[in-house]
Amino acid sequence: MSAPWVVAVVVLWVVVLFLGVLVLGVLRRVTTALNEIGEQNASVADMDTLVKGLPVGGFAPQVSAADRHGEMVKVVTPGMWSVVTLVRVDCAHCTQLIEEFGSGVDQPVGMPSVFVIEDTDDARRLTAAVRIPVLFQKDDEVSRAFNTTATPYAFVIDPQGRVRDRGHPNSAAELVALADRAFPIVSIDPPPAGEDASSRDTMVL
């Protein structure tokens, strides 16, 4: 084989090796990019779930949180209608909602209500004047049990422990409206003589 042919073959092999290394590099970059996209999609899906919260009709979690005295209390009142509202100190709408319940607003009609907030000194100061029970969670454990980190987020729970309605109330009026929407017929007037008041508490499905 003449010298020019030898040089040509060598050059050809160098080109082939260079292209092979180049292709391997591109494939490695593509694989890395696809893995990152997959992780991002999974993260977005997880975040979407955490924002949505428990679905209507799903069972509320049987979780507890500490009251002001450190006693562990069930978040959902067993066997009764109840409203669980998740709030945060750094949420403007939450602050407004909490302040309204500290200025003469009572419980939503016909059912117990509770605020759940992360246990910090600021949270205890903010909720000091609230007229409904406040429970203090650690590391968002109650929020995550309700499948959400969004606030304010209220869940109306029926006596069977199912989520009957949910929403993001930005004021006391909206929270009461949410409770009324889930359980719209609640007697607040004395029942006629001989009639049991509980018989008039009728749930409309």
Side-chain angles (χ1 to χ4, degrees):
M1 184 180 292
S2 62
W5 279 105
V6 171
V7 173
V9 170
V10 170
V11 170
L12 179 61
W13 275 108
V14 169
V15 171
V16 169
L17 289 174
F18 173 77
L19 290 176
V21 171
L22 183 63
V23 169
L24 288 176
V26 171
L27 288 175
R28 185 178 294 111
R29 287 174 177 268
V30 169
T31 301
T32 301
L34 289 176
N35 288 336
E36 290 177 352
I37 291 173
E39 292 174 359
Q40 290 175 358
N41 288 339
S43 177
V44 169
D46 291 342
M47 183 59 66
D48 185 52
T49 298
L50 287 176
V51 169
K52 284 183 177 179
L54 291 178
V56 173
F59 281 101
Q62 299 299 311
V63 290
S64 300
D67 64 13
R68 295 187 185 280
H69 308 292
E71 297 292 331
M72 298 303 291
V73 177
K74 288 185 179 297
V75 174
V76 177
T77 305
M80 298 180 64
W81 285 87
S82 57
V83 180
V84 177
T85 305
L86 307 171
V87 291
R88 300 185 73 89
V89 171
D90 56 357
C91 160
H93 290 304
C94 299
T95 301
Q96 176 183 337
L97 185 61
I98 292 168
E99 289 175 347
E100 286 188 41
F101 274 89
S103 60
V105 177
D106 290 318
Q107 302 234 21
V109 174
M111 61 187 73
S113 302
V114 62
F115 280 131
V116 178
I117 193 169
E118 190 71 10
D119 192 2
T120 65
D121 291 339
D122 288 340
R124 288 180 177 271
R125 282 193 293 269
L126 178 63
T127 60
V130 173
R131 300 176 62 182
I132 67 174
V134 178
L135 299 180
F136 299 91
Q137 64 176 333
K138 297 284 189 180
D139 300 322
D140 288 327
E141 56 188 359
V142 175
S143 297
R144 292 184 178 278
F146 276 86
N147 228 22
T148 185
T149 55
T151 55
Y153 208 155
F155 296 85
V156 182
I157 315 298
D158 69 17
Q160 288 71 46
R162 290 183 180 274
V163 176
R164 186 46 55 101
D165 206 347
R166 62 184 187 174
H168 301 280
N170 295 327
S171 66
E174 290 184 8
L175 180 57
V176 172
L178 177 66
D180 287 345
R181 187 175 69 214
F183 186 31
I185 301 179
V186 180
S187 173
I188 59 175
D189 297 322
E195 180 180 346
D196 183 0
S198 62
S199 68
R200 302 178 65 192
D201 293 347
T202 306
M203 179 178 62
V204 177
L205 300 178

